[in-house]
Amino acid sequence: MKFTQQAFMTGAVLSVLVWNTPALAQTTVSLWSIDNPEGNSAAIALTNEFNAQNTDIQIEYRQLPFDDLTSEALRAFATGQAPDIIALDNPDFALFSSRGAFLDITERVEASDVVAWDDYYPGPAASTMWDGRIYGVPKATNTIALFYNKDMFRAAGLDPENPPATWDELLNAARALNDPANNVYGITISARAGEEGTFQFLPWIQMAGGSFSNVNVPGAVRALDIWKTFLEEGLASQDILSQGQWDSTGTFNSGNAAMAISGPWELDRMASDAQFDWGVTLLPVPEAGAPRSSAMGDFNWAIFATSQHPDEAFKVIEYFVSQDGRLFTDFANIPARSGFELVAEDPKKTEALQVFLDQLQYAQPRGPHPEWAQISKAIYDAMQAALTGQLSSQEALDQAQATIDRILG
């Protein structure tokens, strides 16, 4: 997930304006997403290209903050003001789909010459489905891994070709790399009170033998204790409690942290801005031989069930899908389906991508569950309570478990 923060659900109504001229009838399809029009965003670039190439359909784009997307979409759907198309964070699909807010596009997908459904990776494809039906198309996919500064590893006497592979090795490396005199932290992560916090911590719970429905297993308590140690020993900045992944990883990118847990959306920035030798490795596991896990991120396209022009909206989505082969080379996004040669001009970027593709083999979805937003909140509330010293790790995760048990019934 270029994961930014807490999303919950969305709804898309087809807001269509039609201009009638003697020669042309033009349909405007409204689209909501979090993508910044000023950034290197596939959604923005492809929207502009689509509008330049089409005479009968035009996209009207609206950017919303990540934290507001779900609530705004819910309000819009409830009042009949939803957009035609929305890019929604994948764990929120179950809520919308289960309530009939999204259009069932199963037959459209099966009949499409563009959307090759069998080519999609199982995780992203499953995130669009409810009760065996398809309610969206994956926009892209991503996961998280460990970035590390090879120059700092060398300076600290650590082997840059042998990065941390276990939790203990990660903690010891953070201690060895920590250099307060030079304003360098051993590690940076995102532990903010939002979806990004859950996105980063849930894989640790899963690697410890837990799940979104079983969060207080002993290994998860150990994991949260390690995160507390990062803060208590000054191995990570207190800013991680409020920073999202982009800002947190900026600390690494600027040379003020030796390691960072983040995703492939950073590859363009790393390739252009990092003034040091860097690498990427799989997320460390609890101990050698333990099962791996990682988060599965990014958004899915959906059409609201209230859309008055579903065919036009689906044509827009088909155009976006038709450009999947450019996602990595042009936008540092990973397509959610196979069949593309993902090679960049920068060999280091291509090498790093392979690590993320390997990590995706272990990526697990968040949920799926219609009440994912509440479950996620229980997890990141517990994380924050422990990291800020309000509760012990055991107490915080026990409290989260009690909340989750009530949600799951």
Side-chain angles (χ1 to χ4, degrees):
M1 98 250 170
K2 188 175 177 175
F3 219 9
T4 359
Q5 314 61 30
Q6 170 183 355
F8 297 83
M9 3 169 303
T10 68
V13 171
L14 186 58
S15 287
V16 177
L17 301 176
V18 178
W19 290 272
N20 292 313
T21 68
L24 178 66
Q26 190 176 73
T27 300
T28 299
V29 175
S30 56
L31 184 155
W32 288 6
S33 178
I34 67 167
D35 298 87
N36 188 336
E38 297 180 0
N40 183 33
S41 160
I44 302 302
L46 298 182
T47 291
N48 291 337
E49 291 175 10
F50 182 91
N51 285 342
Q53 296 172 18
N54 275 267
T55 56
D56 55 342
I57 304 172
Q58 290 285 284
I59 303 170
E60 182 179 78
Y61 181 82
R62 179 187 176 192
Q63 180 197 10
L64 283 86
F66 182 93
D67 286 342
D68 297 341
L69 180 62
T70 298
S71 57
E72 184 71 16
L74 284 174
R75 283 193 295 269
F77 180 69
T79 59
Q81 301 297 315
D84 300 304
I85 301 171
I86 192 163
L88 186 67
D89 199 14
N90 72 78
D92 299 322
F93 251 66
L95 174 57
F96 280 91
S97 302
S98 67
R99 295 185 177 183
F102 286 159
L103 183 69
D104 182 344
I105 60 172
T106 306
E107 282 74 25
R108 286 183 169 85
V109 167
E110 292 173 347
S112 176
D113 293 329
V114 178
V115 183
W117 194 248
D118 290 343
D119 291 344
Y120 282 88
Y121 299 124
S127 72
T128 69
M129 301 184 71
W130 182 257
D131 198 22
R133 306 293 290 178
I134 302 170
Y135 290 89
V137 176
K139 179 184 177 190
T141 192
N142 62 50
T143 188
I144 49 177
L146 180 69
F147 286 85
Y148 64 103
N149 185 318
K150 292 187 176 183
D151 290 341
M152 290 184 179
F153 267 61
R154 295 185 186 98
L158 302 177
D159 183 359
E161 304 309 318
N162 188 29
T166 67
W167 290 357
D168 285 342
E169 290 176 2
L170 180 68
L171 180 56
N172 289 333
R175 286 168 170 155
L177 293 159
N178 207 46
D179 187 4
N182 290 302
N183 196 31
V184 173
Y185 293 98
I187 190 168
T188 185
I189 53 180
S190 174
R192 74 190 301 267
E195 189 66 25
E196 283 181 295
T198 300
F199 188 74
Q200 290 233 331
F201 187 62
L202 182 59
W204 291 62
I205 296 175
Q206 293 164 335
M207 286 187 283
S211 66
F212 77 89
S213 61
N214 187 20
V215 301
N216 63 342
V217 296
V221 175
R222 177 190 167 205
L224 192 49
D225 279 340
I226 291 173
W227 280 38
K228 287 184 68 173
T229 301
F230 290 155
L231 288 174
E232 290 171 351
E233 295 187 10
L235 307 178
S237 168
Q238 293 289 325
D239 290 340
I240 68 170
L241 293 169
S242 59
Q243 286 180 333
Q245 293 174 117
W246 182 258
D247 291 332
S248 172
T249 311
T251 307
F252 172 78
N253 184 273
S254 65
N256 295 114
M259 296 183 291
I261 295 177
S262 199
W265 54 84
E266 296 288 349
L267 294 179
D268 275 351
R269 181 163 65 155
M270 290 302 304
S272 63
D273 297 349
Q275 302 299 308
F276 53 86
D277 187 12
W278 56 275
V280 184
T281 190
L282 298 177
L283 286 183
V285 294
E287 56 273 324
R292 294 190 179 278
S293 183
S294 190
M296 190 193 81
D298 222 301
F299 286 50
N300 299 328
W301 298 113
I303 301 170
F304 273 94
T306 48
S307 172
Q308 299 301 303
H309 298 275
D311 292 337
E312 290 86 347
F314 191 72
K315 286 179 181 178
V316 170
I317 292 175
E318 282 188 311
Y319 177 76
F320 291 159
V321 170
S322 74
Q323 303 301 305
D324 277 356
R326 300 167 50 199
L327 286 183
F328 177 66
T329 55
D330 292 4
F331 308 106
N333 295 161
I334 299 177
R337 59 193 177 113
S338 60
F340 304 105
E341 184 179 7
L342 305 182
V343 178
E345 293 182 5
D346 182 349
K348 183 179 286 291
K349 183 177 171 182
T350 300
E351 180 182 350
L353 171 69
Q354 187 57 55
V355 176
F356 285 108
L357 292 175
D358 291 344
Q359 188 76 79
L360 273 170
Q361 297 179 43
Y362 311 104
Q364 299 184 44
R366 286 157 285 149
H369 193 277
E371 302 303 325
W372 171 253
Q374 296 181 51
I375 295 170
S376 178
K377 186 176 187 302
I379 294 172
Y380 65 69
D381 280 351
M383 181 185 67
Q384 285 258 317
L387 296 182
T388 57
Q390 300 174 60
L391 297 172
S392 70
S393 296
Q394 184 72 66
E395 291 168 339
L397 290 173
D398 284 346
Q399 182 173 284
Q401 187 65 56
T403 300
I404 292 170
D405 287 344
R406 287 195 296 272
I407 294 168
L408 299 181

